[in-house]
Amino acid sequence: MDLNEEQREAVTHGEGAQLVLAGAGSGKTRVITHRVAWLVREVGIDPSAIVAVTFTNKAAGEMRERVERLLALRPLPTFVGTFHRFSLVLLRRWGDRVGVRPGFAIFDADDQLALVKKALAAENMAESSFRPRAVLGTISAAKNRLLGPAEYEREASNFFERKVADVYRAYQQALVKSSAVDFDDMLRLSVKLLDGNPDLLARLRDRVHYLLVDEFQDTNHAQMRLVHQIVGSSGNLTAVGDEDQGIYRWRGADLDNVLEFDSYFPGATVRKLERNYRSTQNILSASGALVAHNERRRPKQLWTDVGAGAPIELYRARDDQDEARWVVSSLDDLRDEYPLSEMGILVRTNAQTRAFEEALLRREIPYVLVGGTRFYERAEIKDLIAYLRVVRNPRDNYSLLRILNRPPRGIGKGTRQQLETAAAEFGGSLWEALRQTDFSSFPARSAKALERFRDLVQGLRQAGEELPLPALLDRLLAESRYARQFEGDDPESQARLENIEEFLTAAQEYTEEAAARGEEDDTTAFLDHVALVADIDTWEAARGVSLMTLHAAKGLEFAVVVVGGLEEGVLPHFNAGASQDDLEEERRLLYVGMTRAKERLLLTTCRRRRVAGRYQDQIESPFVAEIPAEALTVSQSPELFADRKTAGVYRFFDRDVSHIPTLAPEALAGPPGTVQRGSRVRHPTLGEGVVLEVEGGTTTGKLTVYFDLVGKRRLAARYANLELL
């Protein structure tokens, strides 16, 4: 076997449980596949007595192919698949024991969301108050904790949770009536099946002699229970993972499954794979020093024999446009050394891709957006574009139909068909039908909704004649209340809101560029610009630079990696929360991004960034200071300090600062001199301001501060560096 000593020990482990802490790029999949082959060839284990589980069908397929090659055995009798596929096998055969009918359907995300919406309606709960995605996320989290509707209701401790309990009950009843399960049920019901049927559990344990689990740091409570059921406390389990790459806590992944492995499986052997086969030593040392600041981890020291490699480049950009230009220029310069397919740009949020996409297009560099939809093709962006098209040309039936019930305003399919029938009298123009039709033949609720929509469009058309594009978009969002549908706390809603803000930024930038060229601000011209950007997207057909979020990059590797946006509020993300666990997960996310790089790693941070079209001063991410200075080569934009005011902050020409909030300081617990709500403070770059909120303590939590010149900012207290005035 072509294995190093660490890998060989893990592969040839005997009886009992072992945890293999596999650092980034250390060959963890190789360990799993070779262990299966070793068990079959050297120990004589029946291949059908081995089960290997991972988290994606793609990973499972690759694992199966590698084992088949090693054993020269096809088809492979060993089960190699995901947790959900393993659960599916159990439920298809014995699901009737937990109330699941044979031939049950599996509802996907869209099916689940539709069911939640029906449940909300049945409970007379408005979607504006109980966002369907947020409710579905809460139900999913409950199922991952193995809580059915009754158990969740008993735990409900506040108004929201009690209302969600009602929806959960109705949602689950609807699943049963449809003879269906969702993905969370597949795990929950499998655990319930094995818990309630000792005979079946005994048969399963007699059948499965060895269990191997990949990406163990991503397992949730339900998956851990399933693992424990299969092997027992002293069974033959090989769990391979790396808590430093645990970035799915928001999905329910429980890092304690790795950190407390010894207590779950007493007497377990813990091994480390520390030799890295991917990255240079500079990249390993820098990323290792970063993640070493996390407290919830098992220490590892990754090393390689490929040499130190090039220094890591850190570029301090003036703004996000400067950041994108520098990144694309740097990648262009490296094209002689590396193919474009070996280059990756990684960002924290989907909204950040827009500036990079446009910079790549301007430079005519092909790119591929991985794991996401191109910016101008995202549903919420296409909705806003459709609004603008209707404002400019209300006879655009396609665009008008798209926005007729976006956001939901009570105009259903039947009403739309009735409107289309009425439009036939006006040459097929839906807009003329809206303007001239007497809605008395329509249901009263639908008629009122159509009248409000007509008035909205008429008002926006008038505003479009008077306002510049950015102001028109502000008016559009305010009067349509479009963004309110994405006010939930779930990651998808947050991503959509960030995309909307980025669209406002795109409009503001286009307006400024048009003014610099001496052209008038013109919404039609902006729509043409957007259409042309979308047309050039045929570049995707050619394999080029990969552009993706950090979450999507897990498991990938590139010769050249860029991690953009190392700023407070971006990475770590402002929505991550105030707890130490949240901060550590954000640090792990950066660690994952850095360790995707094989030879060259480029990091960027912006001094200011446009948010919803307006410049906002940025604070460098605290993570930058945790990377050893000797590992970095630092450069910065020559324009970085070009327009700073004497006080040390950027000019904000478009911000009204006439109403600065004032608060009377509260007598909070704490020694004199601590920052409190209402404290007047000074930041070294943002200037003076007043503390609006203190969350989680003045040293470990978050501070919300309204700065006189740059507005409201949310800061990590331990890194805020505020001076009390």
Side-chain angles (χ1 to χ4, degrees), residues 98-320:
V98 286
V100 178
R101 296 177 183 174
F104 61 85
I106 301 171
F107 275 17
D108 63 17
D110 289 340
D111 298 328
Q112 294 169 43
L113 192 62
L115 220 56
V116 164
K117 290 180 178 180
K118 287 182 180 179
L120 286 168
E123 297 294 325
N124 295 315
M125 294 164 61
E127 291 185 18
S128 57
S129 301
F130 297 89
R131 303 294 176 190
R133 292 186 187 280
V135 172
L136 181 59
T138 304
I139 292 173
S140 176
K143 290 187 175 186
N144 286 336
R145 293 168 53 215
L146 302 175
L147 301 178
E151 295 91 346
Y152 180 79
E153 186 174 23
R154 284 194 292 270
E155 281 197 6
S157 59
N158 56 47
F159 174 77
F160 176 78
E161 291 177 355
R162 286 190 289 272
K163 299 302 286 185
V164 169
D166 294 336
V167 178
Y168 186 2
R169 188 186 312 107
Y171 170 84
Q172 202 63 27
Q173 288 171 351
L175 279 175
V176 173
K177 287 179 181 177
S178 301
S179 188
V181 299
D182 59 23
F183 280 93
D184 298 313
D185 272 338
M186 293 169 71
L187 299 174
R188 182 177 69 90
L189 294 175
S190 294
V191 172
K192 183 178 180 180
L193 173 67
L194 296 176
D195 271 349
N197 295 273
D199 61 320
L200 181 57
L201 181 59
R203 287 174 61 185
L204 180 65
R205 287 182 176 175
D206 185 58
R207 174 72 182 272
V208 180
H209 296 174
Y210 289 87
L211 174 65
L212 299 91
V213 183
D214 193 14
E215 303 288 5
F216 201 73
Q217 76 281 347
D218 295 335
T219 53
N220 60 29
H221 176 67
Q223 289 159 336
M224 184 60 165
R225 279 289 305 279
L226 190 57
V227 166
H228 208 279
Q229 286 174 320
I230 295 170
V231 302
S233 60
S234 58
N236 294 320
L237 167 67
T238 293
V240 183
D242 179 13
E243 79 285 358
D244 288 337
Q245 297 183 73
I247 58 174
Y248 295 117
R249 183 167 160 265
W250 52 277
R251 287 184 185 171
D254 189 351
L255 217 60
D256 282 341
N257 292 347
V258 171
L259 299 178
E260 305 297 329
F261 188 87
D262 320 59
S263 62
Y264 293 125
F265 301 97
T269 300
V270 178
R271 293 187 166 89
K272 298 179 183 181
L273 301 184
E274 296 177 302
R275 182 177 180 179
N276 179 279
Y277 291 93
R278 177 189 299 153
S279 307
T280 64
Q281 191 60 54
N282 276 337
I283 293 171
L284 296 178
S285 297
S287 57
L290 169 77
V291 79
H293 285 79
N294 279 357
E295 295 177 3
R296 286 173 50 76
R297 66 185 296 263
R298 293 175 180 257
K300 290 179 288 296
Q301 193 72 40
L302 298 188
W303 63 276
T304 182
D305 57 7
V306 302
I312 298 168
E313 295 184 54
L314 171 67
Y315 180 70
R316 292 189 169 108
R318 181 171 181 259
D319 53 32
D320 43 338

Side-chain angles (χ1 to χ4, degrees), residues 5-34:
E5 187 59 32
E6 296 171 330
Q7 293 170 334
R8 186 175 295 105
E9 288 179 357
V11 165
T12 59
H13 173 77
E15 299 288 305
Q18 69 165 333
L19 172 65
V20 181
L21 297 170
S26 62
K28 64 181 179 61
T29 306
R30 187 176 185 81
V31 166
I32 292 177
T33 55
H34 277 73

Side-chain angles (χ1 to χ4, degrees), residues 19 21 33 49 63 79 83 104 111 184 362 380 406 437 454 467 469 480 486 488 494 496 556 565 567 691 724:
L19 172 65
L21 297 170
T33 55
M63 190 181 296
F79 176 92
F83 276 101
F104 61 85
D111 298 328
D184 298 313
R362 283 193 294 269
E380 59 276 12
R406 297 188 186 181
T437 298
R454 178 193 61 202
L467 298 175
L469 174 62
S480 70
F486 307 126
Q494 290 298 316
R496 292 183 185 276
L556 302 179
E567 299 133 42
V691 178
L724 271 171

Side-chain angles (χ1 to χ4, degrees), residues 33-80:
T33 55
H34 277 73
R35 178 159 174 77
V36 174
W38 181 81
L39 287 170
V40 173
R41 280 195 312 230
E42 305 300 328
V43 184
I45 301 298
D46 183 342
S48 63
I50 302 171
V51 168
V53 292
T54 186
F55 276 80
T56 67
N57 289 316
K58 179 182 177 183
E62 292 172 351
M63 190 181 296
R64 172 179 289 276
E65 289 178 4
R66 290 169 71 170
V67 175
E68 287 176 340
R69 285 198 301 269
L70 287 170
L71 290 174
L73 180 63
R74 183 174 297 188
L76 182 70
T78 300
F79 176 92
V80 182

